[in-house]
Amino acid sequence: MTHGMRSDTHTPHFGSGGDWRDTAVRYALLPLRIFLGVTFIYAGLDKLTDSAFMQDAGSGSIGDMMRAIRDSSAIPALVDLSLKNPVAFGYTIAFGELAVGIGTLLGLFARLAALGGALISLSLWLTVSWASDPYYYGNDLAYLMAWIPLVLAGAPLLSVDAALRSRRRQRTGGYQ
């Protein structure tokens, strides 16, 4: 029996040329990057511009929200940590969401930004969304899963990371 390479199969490549499937493969993560980037920028700005949210107590405050979910969260100690200074925690989450969103949208340190987004989503799932029943009603779990492809692949196209990688390749003669 002779073994060889089949020439009739589709092999995606990331060089120039190719058919529509190659193009689809190259651009597959772009809609996810745009959605998560815009969503996290919006979430961060929404928190920063909501005067009621950045308060220790009161209707719509981060402090009251954290106290309300404490007993139903998977990790009450994490909520207790945030309750030591709810306003600082609120600002940390808001600026973290902004940094993750901007990094993801621009493709700047894309894997690191995606990891940050995954960690924010994980912490929100284990605290705020944990009591959702059934579990798939909690949107933070879906966000956590959406970040994983970007953690693994980064932003290989239309990104600052890709431009910097291309520039390094040109300087080293294509050996990177």
Side-chain angles (χ1 to χ4, degrees):
M1 176 182 253
T2 305
H3 296 283
M5 180 187 275
R6 288 181 54 179
S7 62
D8 62 336
T9 60
H10 168 70
T11 306
H13 54 84
F14 292 98
S16 60
D19 62 7
W20 68 269
R21 290 175 292 189
D22 294 325
T23 302
V25 167
R26 285 194 304 272
Y27 287 90
L29 293 178
L30 194 56
L32 187 60
R33 266 184 52 210
I34 292 168
F35 170 75
L36 290 171
V38 168
T39 300
F40 268 58
I41 289 170
Y42 180 84
L45 290 174
D46 189 44
K47 287 173 182 63
L48 290 172
T49 58
D50 184 354
S51 59
F53 182 77
M54 293 297 181
Q55 300 294 322
D56 282 331
S59 179
S61 70
I62 180 75
D64 280 0
M65 182 183 77
M66 297 312 284
R67 281 186 283 280
I69 57 108
R70 190 219 176 267
D71 293 332
S72 64
S73 73
I75 307 175
L78 189 60
V79 178
D80 290 340
L81 183 63
S82 71
L83 283 170
K84 291 183 184 215
N85 191 340
V87 175
F89 177 74
Y91 278 110
T92 301
I93 290 293
F95 284 120
E97 287 171 337
L98 271 176
V100 162
I102 291 168
T104 300
L105 206 53
L106 296 177
L108 178 61
F109 302 113
R111 283 190 173 108
L112 182 61
L115 180 61
L119 291 174
I120 290 171
S121 296
L122 176 63
S123 67
L124 292 174
W125 177 56
L126 292 173
T127 55
V128 179
S129 300
W130 186 254
S132 297
D133 187 33
Y135 76 93
Y136 50 83
Y137 280 173
N139 64 345
D140 295 311
L141 180 58
Y143 280 103
L144 172 60
M145 294 298 114
W147 283 112
I148 292 173
L150 296 179
V151 170
L152 296 173
L157 201 64
L158 298 177
S159 66
V160 173
D161 289 348
L164 293 173
R165 195 168 34 256
S166 174
R167 190 170 176 194
R168 277 193 305 268
R169 263 192 218 113
Q170 287 175 352
R171 267 196 253 143
T172 62
Y175 294 110
Q176 217 180 49

